Amino acid sequence: LGVVFTGDGAPAGNYGYTNSGYSVYEEENDRLTESLRTKVSAIKSLSIEIGTEVKNQNKMLSEMENDFDSAGGLLGATMGRLRTLSRGSQTKLLCYMMLFSLFVFFVIYWIIKLR
């Protein structure tokens, strides 16, 4: 049997891909290119989702900062009232504290009794 060779020294027939004009390497490159394209597309969509999530988280943090600022202002006002109250007579303050303690005690007692 004689083997037919193409012009570049590769045997023709089943193993000579140069005759078809499409080599195994080109097929592999096309397959890998498509795989890479799919992965890049997935990474792109993932990065877009991450960006959206970061924007949402920043918005929530900003809202929380505003809430904490308002709570801090309210707490500051309450502390000012307590200072004003503490400048008064100590017996009044002690009486208020005792009444508040009794109230809390009865509320806790009532909650335990209902269970």
Side-chain angles (χ1 to χ4, degrees), residues 34-114:
E34 187 59 36
S35 172
L36 185 61
R37 184 177 291 124
T38 303
K39 290 176 184 177
V40 167
S41 175
I43 290 173
K44 178 184 175 184
S45 65
L46 183 63
S47 66
I48 290 171
E49 289 176 14
I50 289 172
T52 303
E53 185 65 25
V54 166
K55 287 178 186 175
N56 290 338
Q57 293 294 328
N58 283 338
K59 182 180 175 186
M60 286 175 50
L61 283 173
S62 176
E63 291 172 359
M64 282 180 57
E65 182 180 5
N66 293 338
D67 291 343
F68 278 121
D69 285 344
S70 65
L74 182 63
L75 185 60
T78 303
M79 291 302 292
R81 289 185 198 129
L82 280 175
R83 278 191 216 104
T84 304
L85 184 62
S86 68
R87 288 187 196 130
S89 69
Q90 295 296 327
T91 54
K92 250 185 174 180
L93 180 63
L94 186 60
C95 183
Y96 286 141
M97 293 297 277
M98 290 297 291
L99 287 174
F100 179 73
S101 299
L102 285 173
F103 175 74
V104 170
F105 173 75
F106 282 121
V107 168
I108 292 173
Y109 176 76
W110 183 66
I111 290 172
I112 290 173
K113 191 77 167 172
L114 287 178

